Amino acid sequence: LAKTTQPISMDSYEGQEVNITCSHNNIATNDYITWYQQFPSQGPRFIIQGYKTKVTNEVASLFIPADRKSSTLSLPRVSLSDTAVYYCLVGDLGTGGFKTIFGAGTRLFVKA
Amino acid sequence: DVKVTQSSRYLVKRTGEKVFLECVQDMDHENMFWYRQDPGLGLRLIYFSYDVKMKEKGDIPEGYSVSREKKERFSLILESASTNQTSMYLCASSGGGGTEAFFGQGTRLTVV
């Protein structure tokens, strides 16, 4: 499984766009990139998933360059409620019994 | 609405007790996982199962065992609880090969 590296923490202000970058230099051809969000005392929650280029949903966008060695989660106009830990994972969707491995994540703190 | 249910939200046990943590999912998922989460360490995989009666060790299996007799239920067993097993325990499930995992609310276990 590809190892991921993220910043430990980030600060932002309400209304700003936040970009969290994840490095995954040894990503394999069949690997997808997935981001999760976790609030205190809750389990992680799926945000977005992609393979290449750009993916957008109602919550976030995911940018993946051509070499796929990194990815950037973009949160538009954050609010105080976006304060959470964000995890980046990479893995093969086609492999049965895939192990979902979480790193330490990025702690985002949104200030008023 | 998809659901992963953990049997207890909070649990206090004595050192040396045998502890059972139960997890049930209603999504007919093949894969189920047990993690523990400690401050500063993120989520660490204890065991996972990709089918009934199948199990594989994660990163920190020592002191734990698991049981999956039915597809919807995955149990984590602490054979002889110790104080260093005080932690938040999270159960998750995912479909075959998928990286989108759904998490339960967690069980905060305190061993005294």
Side-chain angles (χ1 to χ4, degrees):
Chain A
L1 293 168
K3 182 183 160 102
T4 60
T5 304
Q6 305 173 233
I8 293 173
S9 65
M10 296 180 68
D11 287 345
S12 182
Y13 288 92
E14 280 191 294
Q16 289 187 332
E17 178 184 77
V18 171
N19 296 308
I20 305 174
T21 297
C22 178
S23 297
H24 28 79
N25 290 319
N26 59 340
I27 188 169
T29 303
N30 294 333
D31 285 346
Y32 277 67
I33 299 153
T34 310
W35 285 80
Y36 284 82
Q37 174 191 56
Q38 186 180 25
F39 298 113
S41 300
Q42 293 186 26
R45 185 176 68 112
F46 172 88
I47 302 174
I48 197 166
Q49 185 176 75
Y51 183 80
K52 61 180 179 180
T53 62
K54 178 184 173 182
V55 179
T56 297
N57 62 22
E58 64 278 4
V59 176
S61 294
L62 179 59
F63 298 92
I64 306 167
D67 67 5
R68 303 197 331 120
K69 293 184 184 299
S70 66
S71 58
T72 299
L73 174 73
S74 181
L75 304 171
R77 297 179 301 281
V78 294
S79 64
L80 296 176
S81 62
D82 291 316
T83 293
V85 178
Y86 293 82
Y87 296 95
C88 163
L89 293 82
V90 296
D92 180 0
L93 281 179
T95 303
F98 172 76
K99 297 193 297 183
T100 302
I101 303 289
F102 287 76
T106 298
R107 186 172 298 276
L108 173 66
F109 186 67
V110 180
K111 296 179 267 193
Chain B
D1 223 12
V2 298
K3 207 157 187 180
V4 177
T5 304
Q6 294 184 229
S7 53
S8 303
R9 194 86 167 94
Y10 299 94
L11 214 51
V12 179
K13 295 292 182 180
R14 295 195 179 279
T15 302
E17 276 193 78
K18 190 168 186 175
V19 181
F20 293 85
L21 302 182
E22 307 286 345
C23 176
V24 177
Q25 51 100 359
D26 64 1
M27 296 163 281
D28 200 36
H29 281 164
E30 288 83 358
N31 304 317
M32 295 189 75
F33 310 84
W34 274 106
Y35 294 86
R36 65 176 282 177
Q37 184 169 35
D38 302 288
L41 296 177
L43 282 84
R44 293 181 291 167
L45 182 65
I46 304 172
Y47 268 97
F48 74 102
S49 168
Y50 52 88
D51 201 352
V52 175
K53 296 191 187 295
M54 305 299 287
K55 61 185 179 185
E56 285 198 26
K57 293 179 180 178
D59 296 328
I60 50 164
E62 296 77 21
Y64 303 94
S65 62
V66 290
S67 172
R68 191 157 180 211
E69 296 296 319
K70 293 184 177 181
K71 190 175 186 180
E72 67 271 17
R73 187 180 296 270
F74 193 35
S75 303
L76 180 69
I77 304 154
L78 287 66
E79 297 290 343
S80 178
S82 63
T83 54
N84 63 12
Q85 292 178 309
T86 291
S87 186
M88 169 69 88
Y89 290 87
L90 289 158
C91 173
S93 72
S94 72
T99 57
E100 180 176 354
F102 296 86
F103 282 80
Q105 285 291 87
T107 297
R108 187 165 294 281
L109 172 68
T110 302
V111 182
V112 297

